[in-house]
Amino acid sequence: MPATEPHYSAPKGARGTARPATTLPQPGSNGLVLDGAHVVLPTGVVDKGRLVVDGTKLAAAAPADAPLLDLTGHWLLPGFVDIHNHGGGGASFSSGTAEEILTGVRTHRAHGTTTLVTSTVTDDMDVLVRQAGLLSELAEQGEIAGIHFEGPFISPCRKGAHSEALLRDPDPAEVRKLVDAARGQARMVTLATELPGGIESVRLLAEHGVIAAVGHTDATYEQTVEAIEAGATVATHLFNAMPQLGHRAPGPIAALLEDERITVELINDGTHLHPAALQLAFHHAGPDRVAFITDAMDAAGSGDGRYLLGPLEVEVTDGVARLVEGGSIAGSTLTLDRALRRAVTVDGLPVEHAVAALSANPARLLGCYDRVGSLEPGKDADLLVLDADFTLKGVMRKGAWVVVPELP
């Protein structure tokens, strides 16, 4: 239910009151008050709410003489958290240089993703180890939130846009090699856990605090249950690259939906999922166990044309990415602002449920909900301004505008 009281109202008296701004104010030493918007909080939606930015953080009270930005008629949301993203702006996280990777990161930031985990695709182990070292440096600098290895430990039966020639069984020693190469920045590894070494690798990942994700798998229901019991906690892009739900052979989908320990990833771009499948996932998993992801590749924010996804060539037409050879869907060109807008305006999800799937749920999964994922005092000032039609207008990350809102 929506909350009834505005949030973070600036107190009068000792700390002063916010003053209206004659031009769009920038966060600074005097802070900034964002006033009058529909504010999406963990407790619900507050109409005519108020947020206070003080330095890089959200605050409970406004500094003296803080400027005020009137956002009446707009929405204020926490910044998005994407746990599965291969690139954007023409740049690949699997093979790009540091500057190219930052181009991709900034592309997604401009679309509201203030916390991003970079995903790699199947390649030679030496290439993945080398790229893990580069990505770990960017994670240590705070530019990204860690690394997700999607492949090479996946099923050739459900390989999707991965090179079959480079796939391998999940040998725990090789899984450990990738985790070590990430220097503490490995956040998730997608595995076909039914393959030889799969269950042992899940246990190894769990012991090292790395998320084991079931995906690109041909597992049965029973094999998936075994993986969950061993420590798997994520379903990589549920429904995609796994056996369909069957009434005699329910496969991994049923096991992943029914277990409360599993967070299910969904790609809400209108291509990867039918709306009924999305509703099925929300109904069975509930709004606290869904994480919207992009699974974006280089073309996100860039346009149609030919691209590479790992060693494979991809053709993007009308925003849909498919392998040149074979025609399999090859990631997406999605950005999370589009995923939100579709969830609310097409799928009919409550705003707070869609926002949880884009912010709080993935932040909890990553273990950074104490800093990001919701609009609460003490957390990073990562926030988004949207208009009444849920079109993104402004992006703030750590108290600085990434996209300065253009307001009427």
Side-chain angles (χ1 to χ4, degrees), residues 176-252:
R176 176 67 185 269
K177 183 178 181 180
L178 283 185
V179 171
D180 288 346
R183 303 201 304 261
Q185 301 301 329
R187 296 291 174 261
M188 184 161 64
V189 178
T190 292
L191 305 163
T193 54
E194 76 278 7
L195 296 176
I199 296 301
E200 293 82 1
S201 293
V202 169
R203 293 194 181 104
L204 181 147
L205 291 168
E207 290 170 0
H208 286 80
V210 179
I211 297 163
V214 178
H216 288 275
T217 176
D218 204 40
T220 64
Y221 174 88
E222 292 77 14
Q223 288 170 327
T224 307
V225 169
E226 184 183 8
I228 296 169
E229 292 299 328
T233 56
V234 166
T236 293
H237 43 54
L238 187 73
F239 300 109
N240 297 114
M242 60 182 62
Q244 296 181 5
L245 185 66
H247 64 291
R248 292 192 182 93

Side-chain angles (χ1 to χ4, degrees), residues 73-114:
H74 289 73
W75 289 85
L76 275 173
L77 316 180
F80 301 141
V81 180
D82 194 353
I83 59 173
H84 188 155
N85 188 317
H86 296 280
S92 168
F93 298 148
S94 295
S95 58
T97 64
E99 190 52 46
E100 287 168 343
I101 292 164
L102 288 174
T103 294
V105 171
R106 290 164 184 155
T107 296
H108 286 281
R109 276 186 196 162
H111 288 275
T113 299
T114 51

Side-chain angles (χ1 to χ4, degrees), residues 110-135:
H111 288 275
T113 299
T114 51
T115 301
L116 185 148
V117 173
T118 52
S119 301
T120 62
V121 295
T122 296
D123 213 321
D124 287 319
M125 284 294 291
D126 289 346
V127 172
L128 291 172
V129 166
R130 184 168 62 249
Q131 197 68 5
L134 176 59
L135 292 169

Side-chain angles (χ1 to χ4, degrees), residues 302-366:
S302 189
D304 289 356
R306 289 279 180 111
Y307 296 86
L308 286 176
L309 184 60
L312 302 179
E313 194 170 14
V314 176
E315 179 77 39
V316 178
T317 304
D318 296 329
V320 177
R322 293 185 179 275
L323 291 181
V324 172
E325 184 176 345
S328 293
I329 295 176
S332 84
T333 62
L334 186 64
T335 52
L336 285 183
D337 57 330
R338 288 168 45 208
L340 170 78
R341 194 168 192 273
R342 180 179 177 85
V344 176
T345 64
V346 176
D347 301 312
L349 292 179
V351 176
E352 54 267 43
H353 290 178
V355 170
L358 288 156
S359 300
N361 298 346
R364 287 193 187 96
L365 186 69
L366 293 176

Side-chain angles (χ1 to χ4, degrees), residues 225 228-229 232 254-263 285 289:
V225 169
I228 296 169
E229 292 299 328
L256 295 164
L257 280 176
E258 72 183 8
D259 198 295
E260 294 183 355
R261 292 168 289 186
I262 296 295
T263 297
R289 288 178 44 218

